[in-house]
Amino acid sequence: MYNWGLERKIKSYELSGKSVSRFDLHKEITHELKPEYPWLKDVNSQSLQASITNVESAFTKFFREKTGFPNFKSKKNATQSFSVPQHYVVDFDTNKVKLPKIGWIKAALHRKFEGDMKTATVSMTKTGKYFISVLVDDGKEVPESEPFDADTTVGVDVGITHFATLSTGEKIENPRYLKSSLGRLKVLQRRLSRTKKGSNNREKARLKLAKQHEKIANQRRDFLHKTSHRLASENQAIATETLNVKGMMKNHHLAMAISDVSWSEFFRQLKYKANWYGKTVLTIGQFQPSTKICSVCGTVVQGLTLADREWSCQECGTVHDRDINTAINIKKFALQDQNLITLGQRG
Ligand SMILES: [Zn+2]
């Protein structure tokens, strides 16, 4: 449906230079497509219409942001999904979900919610697992941000050797199980490459590999959720540094480690959780010299390389752990930006 809508819009532009509205497309679905393809009647008509709405949003985004012309969807996409805008039922007593034209389905409902149910999205992963996510408006106001100061703010430096280092001196390790899961991933990748295209063994190997990818993604997500939840609950403000993740991904040695720790996702979670709990995320620019400055006396050090994990200040003699010093500076810069501390004050 999405691809059909996209093609209709492209053709219309090419032929007449005019846009065809989603209402026109809805009419075409009812009066032309359905008579020609009766199986379309087996599908919830609002779900069909939602696909057309998605095409339209993709175009709106393209025109507004001038990037990424809408793509055709493929059966090979990692996740397959469709929307159910209305008329579905979630029954917490029997653990079932009722979808229009499909009926009641057994489900593992892991969290009870109350509020106005908006669009539900049904998706299938590469390993054939089905999920339904329900958007709910609970009507609650987002809390106002609580005040913070130097005592209730934590600086966070994310890195390769440790997932994150805090201005308190604590280092948060990358979970070990991720490493062993990644080792297993390599084995499965090699096995898949040895199978013949189109063979049964290849399909089996593909499924095993997809399951391993899914396992790693789940482990990673779980770790990121726990860590972002903890930081947002324990502090009034969290100071971070803008990361040039795209630029860093170009460096091959770092790429694997970075995609593994998924910093962008971590910061995304940190921001929305802070928002939920009335906390504040402060971000300093990537050009502020958080690594190369002594957090005790403010001297800029010369000739520090990525390999230097520890160094001593030429001026005041303090011996620094590179990452802890960076985390303290991130906190300092962020608080200076807020005019909450003045230069030279200790973090
Ligand atoms: Zn110093």
Side-chain angles (χ1 to χ4, degrees), residues 296-325:
V296 175
C297 72
T299 303
V300 177
V301 278
Q302 306 296 332
L304 203 62
T305 72
L306 257 176
D308 297 324
R309 306 315 308 170
E310 228 180 60
W311 54 278
S312 55
C313 176
Q314 295 113 327
E315 195 62 35
C316 72
T318 309
V319 178
H320 288 293
D321 172 288
R322 176 198 179 87
D323 297 335
I324 298 174
N325 182 62

Side-chain angles (χ1 to χ4, degrees), residues 8-67:
R8 279 288 289 109
K9 274 186 167 292
I10 292 171
K11 285 264 161 70
S12 169
Y13 276 118
E14 280 173 2
L15 292 172
S16 64
K18 274 182 195 154
S19 153
V20 44
S21 77
R22 76 185 140 114
F23 302 105
D24 292 336
L25 293 177
H26 289 172
K27 272 185 212 157
E28 271 183 53
I29 292 171
T30 314
H31 300 297
E32 288 171 38
L33 279 190
K34 280 188 178 173
E36 201 180 336
Y37 305 104
W39 51 266
L40 281 174
K41 291 177 192 160
D42 298 340
V43 184
N44 174 28
S45 57
Q46 286 200 341
S47 295
L48 297 178
Q49 293 181 355
S51 297
I52 301 298
T53 308
N54 288 344
V55 176
E56 206 158 71
S57 325
F59 268 101
T60 310
K61 197 166 175 247
F62 167 67
F63 287 124
R64 198 177 44 215
E65 295 168 15
K66 308 276 181 232
T67 52

Side-chain angles (χ1 to χ4, degrees), residues 69-170:
F69 190 82
N71 282 324
F72 286 98
K73 292 195 188 285
S74 161
K75 278 185 182 169
K76 286 179 183 163
N77 284 357
T79 302
Q80 302 282 330
S81 68
F82 68 92
S83 314
V84 184
Q86 281 176 300
H87 308 310
Y88 61 92
V89 184
V90 179
D91 189 335
F92 288 102
D93 294 329
T94 57
N95 280 319
K96 281 179 179 173
V97 176
K98 190 184 184 188
L99 296 175
K101 297 262 183 168
I102 294 174
W104 286 102
I105 305 160
K106 262 195 210 164
L109 303 171
H110 64 111
R111 201 205 304 173
K112 201 164 179 173
F113 51 77
E114 274 172 30
D116 198 2
M117 278 161 39
K118 306 283 187 187
T119 296
T121 305
V122 181
S123 57
M124 186 186 78
T125 68
K126 264 192 167 171
T127 59
K129 288 194 187 104
Y130 287 88
F131 290 89
I132 177 162
S133 58
V134 179
L135 180 65
V136 180
D137 182 355
D138 64 5
K140 285 179 197 156
E141 297 277 330
V142 173
E144 279 193 30
S145 300
E146 295 166 22
F148 55 88
D149 56 25
D151 291 332
T152 53
T153 300
V154 70
V156 182
D157 175 45
V158 292
I160 303 280
T161 42
H162 299 273
F163 175 77
T165 302
L166 309 184
S167 55
T168 56
E170 184 189 338

